[in-house]
């Protein structure tokens, strides 16, 4: 496994694979790798002949006051995981390598970045799309892998690639959960034991949503109000949003129809946690 800190080294490392026509996969991450990331890595290794994992805590996607400084950076553990999964190249740049002294050029996907997490994290998606566009230009992968856990991010990246005619296929992998349903996240480690227990209500609220949809309830207000009741069972949870939207354009739905994304964002103690489910009624 090779480890590159510079863009020039990435290009150099990939040269041989590219000239041999190997299928190149990219898994962009911020590190602190867990089972969610590993599911993306395993899928990439299955699909591709040459796999790059980027580990970069991207400063531009953190809003002022967020956890950029204290975001976990266990690079030795991460490298070990990559090595164990037969990754070909890890790209682990410093912010200066990615952005130089000053960055004048930004990629901004309109509309899709306004609702949901866009409301409370202004500028977050601009940071995500800009860093992903840079990574796509640096690595020039055939395929890049993202998690359904960050549903809005995946939709925004797909749109960016389509709108910019980037020759990269975006594969979205299912959310990996703990045994009790909590979506795995690097930020779960911020939780105390009690908060960790309370956090299971996030997925419980989404399961309630699924049950209600399955039983034929179509009024989204009725569903979100039941979800709210579940999340309000503990005082530690502060609800940021509970939204039921069209999974294509992220517009709010009054009535359940078509491909539906039910998404939740909450704060528990120091952690901001998100989760979602996709329900496809078009197939029923
Ligand atoms: P992050 O390091 O948090 O930026 O995440 C890197 C990638 O891993 C993103 O595409 C995430 O959506 C994905 N990811 C994070 N957690 C999970 C999870 N529990 N299940 C599946 N994918 C995940």
């Amino acid at each position: 496994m090779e480890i590159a800190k510079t863009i020039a080294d990435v290009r150099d490392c990939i040269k041989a694979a590219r000239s041999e026509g190997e299928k190149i996969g990219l898994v962009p991450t911020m590190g602190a790798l867990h089972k969610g990331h590993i599911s993306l890595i395993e899928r990439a290794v299955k699909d591709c002949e040459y796999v790059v994992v980027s580990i970069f805590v991207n400063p531009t996607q953190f809003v002022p006051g967020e956890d950029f400084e204290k975001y976990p950076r266990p690079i030795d553990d991460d490298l070990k995981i990559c090595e164990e999964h037969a990754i070909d190249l890890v790209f682990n740049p410093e912010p200066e390598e990615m952005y130089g002294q000053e960055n004048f050029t930004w990629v901004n996907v309109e509309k899709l970045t306004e609702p949901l997490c866009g409301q409370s994290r202004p500028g977050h998606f601009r940071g995500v799309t800009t860093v992903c566009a840079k990574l796509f230009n640096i690595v020039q992968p055939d395929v890049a892998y993202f998690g359904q856990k960050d549903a809005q991010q995946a939709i925004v990246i797909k749109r960016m690639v389509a709108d910019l005619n980037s020759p990269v296929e975006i594969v979205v992998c299912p959310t990996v959960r703990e045994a009790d349903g909590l979506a795995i996240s690097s930020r779960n480690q911020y939780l105390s034991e009690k908060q960790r227990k309370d956090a299971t209500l996030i997925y419980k609220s989404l399961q309630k949503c699924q049950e209600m949809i399955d039983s034929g309830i179509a009024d989204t207000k009725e569903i979100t109000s039941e979800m709210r009741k579940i999340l309000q069972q503990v005082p530690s949870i502060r609800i940021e949003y509970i939204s039921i939207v069209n999974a294509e354009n992220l517009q709010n739905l009054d009535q359940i129809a078509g491909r539906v994304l039910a998404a939740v964002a909450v704060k528990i103690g120091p952690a901001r946690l998100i989760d979602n489910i996709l329900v496809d009624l078009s197939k029923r």
Side-chain angles (χ1 to χ4, degrees):
M1 184 175 87
E2 295 191 273
I3 301 163
K5 298 288 291 179
T6 68
I7 294 161
D9 281 350
V10 173
R11 297 215 159 107
D12 215 39
C13 290
I14 300 179
K15 214 184 280 165
R18 198 182 313 286
S19 70
E20 278 159 34
E22 290 185 355
K23 186 170 180 177
I24 298 169
L26 170 67
V27 183
T29 81
M30 297 206 299
L33 301 181
H34 52 60
K35 283 184 258 173
H37 299 115
I38 291 171
S39 73
L40 271 51
I41 287 174
E42 286 176 342
R43 174 73 194 271
V45 168
K46 188 164 128 285
D47 290 355
C48 302
E49 284 140 330
Y50 190 94
V51 176
V52 183
V53 173
S54 62
I55 299 178
F56 178 56
V57 184
N58 173 34
T60 67
Q61 71 186 70
F62 288 79
V63 173
E66 286 188 346
D67 55 346
F68 173 68
E69 299 296 339
K70 69 164 190 182
Y71 197 85
R73 291 165 170 84
I75 188 67
D76 291 341
D77 297 346
D78 289 349
L79 292 176
K80 193 158 163 272
I81 289 171
C82 290
E83 183 102 56
E84 284 166 2
H85 287 82
I87 293 308
D88 297 284
L89 173 64
V90 172
F91 179 39
N92 177 220
E94 295 301 321
E96 298 70 37
E97 179 68 8
M98 290 299 279
Y99 290 105
Q101 287 304 309
E102 208 175 350
N103 196 69
F104 289 161
T105 307
W106 300 94
V107 179
N108 192 30
V109 175
E110 296 177 353
K111 291 204 168 80
L112 296 173
T113 55
E114 285 166 15
L116 306 174
C117 293
Q119 290 286 304
S120 63
R121 304 187 79 191
H124 164 70
F125 286 111
R126 185 183 82 148
V128 170
T129 43
T130 300
V131 80
C132 285
K134 281 172 173 280
L135 290 168
F136 293 171
N137 284 334
I138 294 164
V139 174
Q140 295 177 27
D142 297 289
V143 196
Y145 296 83
F146 290 85
Q148 176 61 31
K149 153 88 168 37
D150 298 274
Q152 187 175 15
Q153 169 174 283
I155 289 166
V156 167
I157 296 287
K158 274 190 173 172
R159 186 70 197 205
M160 174 187 83
V161 162
D163 286 353
L164 296 181
N165 312 102
S166 300
V168 50
E169 180 193 346
I170 303 299
V171 169
V172 182
C173 303
T175 302
V176 179
R177 302 179 178 284
E178 301 285 5
D180 59 11
L182 178 66
I184 300 178
S185 161
S186 309
R187 290 185 167 104
N188 290 350
Q189 57 186 274
Y190 299 156
L191 302 171
S192 69
E193 212 175 304
K194 166 78 169 70
Q195 290 163 346
R196 167 66 187 78
K197 202 160 157 270
D198 292 348
T200 60
L201 293 175
I202 301 169
Y203 187 53
K204 291 217 172 83
S205 73
L206 290 164
Q207 283 178 305
K208 180 73 182 175
C209 170
Q210 176 84 56
E211 276 166 30
M212 291 178 80
I213 294 174
D214 289 345
S215 74
I217 297 169
D219 179 356
T220 57
K221 275 215 184 74
E222 193 180 335
I223 298 171
T224 52
S225 125
E226 288 306 310
M227 293 170 73
R228 188 172 299 277
K229 279 184 206 157
I230 292 175
L231 292 168
Q232 284 174 337
Q233 282 171 18
V234 291
S236 67
I237 294 186
R238 287 161 290 148
I239 298 168
E240 193 181 283
Y241 64 75
I242 303 171
S243 295
I244 299 183
V245 299
N246 175 305
E248 256 58 65
N249 61 21
L250 302 181
Q251 293 298 303
N252 272 320
L253 290 171
D254 293 331
Q255 296 286 313
I256 298 286
R259 286 185 77 238
V260 172
L261 179 74
V264 171
V266 303
K267 282 198 174 138
I268 307 186
R272 180 182 180 278
L273 302 178
I274 57 172
D275 199 355
N276 68 85
I277 54 166
L278 258 180
V279 188
D280 192 351
L281 283 106
S282 63
K283 289 192 181 142
R284 292 188 182 173

